[in-house]
């Protein structure tokens, strides 16, 4: 059984093992904006822009921020998150949907196509970190295990140094210290710990069924940020597009372009959707 509790535009839905926080804006064809571990707040500016002519659904992934788990130590797998998305789309009853997934959310969206293709008609998989598609996957797995262990041992800044180095993203040391070295929001820390301990490996080690995705009814667009050239997610996204027999589609900004430049991102997204 599922049930919903409304609080203005913010609502919750009981699903197996969790209660999901979600938000609905606007009216029209359904667009779902989803990250992992990013929560609904990161997508709010983009959602507001799209809500002028769409119903826009955003959500906190299970175990993140306001989406509470029955078992806080449960692993967050793409399959579980895809099931959550299918239940949210069915509950909203406005599908099939366009799903824009970013990073781990792009992995969730691809898993949704594999398990519930009838719930979506278009998926934009923006920079999914699918390292299993790369030739140096074993080295990347070793690096991931090392940075997770570093974080769980208590060296937060050290873990992030390793994470950004592996991701091919350069952050100046003063920025690193400012972001991760001082006083921090307790909820942000809790979500971060969950990502390192229970989500990162399951998302990055997930192996898409490219044969199923190639022949699936929903349209799949692989998105890459214009500023992401040479980064790990540029490589993984390019590998996915090649495996699907398509070319990648560029979006403004980098890995989180929808946060950095939501107006430009929304404009580009509308063009991509019209092209479909």
């Amino acid at each position: 059984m599922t049930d919903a509790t409304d609080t203005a535009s913010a609502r919750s839905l009981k699903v197996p093992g969790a209660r999901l926080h979600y938000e609905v804006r606007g009216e029209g064809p359904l667009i779902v904006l989803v990250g992992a571990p990013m929560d609904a707040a990161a997508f709010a500016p983009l959602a507001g822009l799209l809500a002028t002519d769409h119903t826009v659904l955003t959500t906190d992934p299970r175990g993140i921020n306001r989406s509470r788990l029955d078992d806080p130590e449960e692993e967050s797998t793409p399959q579980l998150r895809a099931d959550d998305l299918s239940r949210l789309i069915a509950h909203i009853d406005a599908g099939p949907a366009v799903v824009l997934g970013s990073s781990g959310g792009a992995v969730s969206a691809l898993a949704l196509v594999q398990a519930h293709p009838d719930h979506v008609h278009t998926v934009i998989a923006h920079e999914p970190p699918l390292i299993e598609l790369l030739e140096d996957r074993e080295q990347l797995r070793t690096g991931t295990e090392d940075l997770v262990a570093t974080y769980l041992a208590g060296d937060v800044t050290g873990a992030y140094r390793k994470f950004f180095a592996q991701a091919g993203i350069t952050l100046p040391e003063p920025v690193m210290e400012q972001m991760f070295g001082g006083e921090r929001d307790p909820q942000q820390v809790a979500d971060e710990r969950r990502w390192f301990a229970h989500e990162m490996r399951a998302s990055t080690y997930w192996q898409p069924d490219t044969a199923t995705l190639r022949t699936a009814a929903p349209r799949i667009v692989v998105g890459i940020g214009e500023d992401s050239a040479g980064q790990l997610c540029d490589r993984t996204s390019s590998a996915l597009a090649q495996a699907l027999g398509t070319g990648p589609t560029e979006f403004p900004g980098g890995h989180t372009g929808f946060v950095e430049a939501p107006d430009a991102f929304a404009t580009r997204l509308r063009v991509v959707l019209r092209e479909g």
Side-chain angles (χ1 to χ4, degrees), residues 152-172:
L152 296 179
D155 185 1
V156 174
T157 306
Y160 271 107
R161 285 195 189 97
K162 293 177 180 180
F163 171 79
F164 285 118
Q166 179 158 294
I169 298 173
T170 301
L171 284 183

Side-chain angles (χ1 to χ4, degrees), residues 252-263:
H255 189 59
T256 56
F258 55 92
V259 176
E260 302 153 13
D263 290 89

Side-chain angles (χ1 to χ4, degrees), residues 198-210:
H198 298 295
E199 186 173 301
M200 186 186 297
R201 286 172 289 198
S203 294
T204 59
Y205 298 171
W206 186 71
Q207 299 187 49
D209 183 341
T210 53

Side-chain angles (χ1 to χ4, degrees), residues 56-72:
V56 185
L57 168 67
T58 58
T59 182
D60 294 353
R62 60 170 47 223
I64 296 296
N65 200 353
R66 296 154 291 189
S67 288
R68 305 298 183 178
L69 293 172
D70 297 347
D71 174 11

Side-chain angles (χ1 to χ4, degrees), residues 44-91:
L46 178 60
L49 293 166
L50 297 173
T52 56
D53 55 355
H54 288 83
T55 299
V56 185
L57 168 67
T58 58
T59 182
D60 294 353
R62 60 170 47 223
I64 296 296
N65 200 353
R66 296 154 291 189
S67 288
R68 305 298 183 178
L69 293 172
D70 297 347
D71 174 11
E73 298 304 308
E74 176 192 66
E75 294 297 303
S76 176
T77 67
Q79 294 91 329
L80 275 176
R81 299 195 305 269
D83 185 70
D84 290 343
L85 289 175
S86 75
R87 292 172 186 273
L88 284 167
I89 292 169
H91 180 69

Side-chain angles (χ1 to χ4, degrees), residues 96-182:
V98 172
V99 179
L100 168 67
S102 176
S103 194
V107 181
S108 307
L110 293 168
L112 177 65
V113 174
Q114 291 186 189
H116 304 280
D118 54 318
H119 284 180
V120 294
H121 66 76
T122 301
V123 161
I124 297 98
H126 186 262
E127 301 209 357
L130 298 170
I131 64 174
E132 292 300 309
L133 297 177
L134 302 178
E135 290 185 359
D136 56 344
R137 65 184 71 89
E138 290 187 12
Q139 178 182 338
L140 291 167
R141 269 181 172 258
T142 298
T144 301
E145 294 297 330
D146 178 53
L147 66 89
V148 168
T150 300
Y151 182 87
L152 296 179
D155 185 1
V156 174
T157 306
Y160 271 107
R161 285 195 189 97
K162 293 177 180 180
F163 171 79
F164 285 118
Q166 179 158 294
I169 298 173
T170 301
L171 284 183
E173 188 60 29
V175 175
M176 288 284 295
E177 288 297 334
Q178 182 182 13
M179 291 177 67
F180 308 114

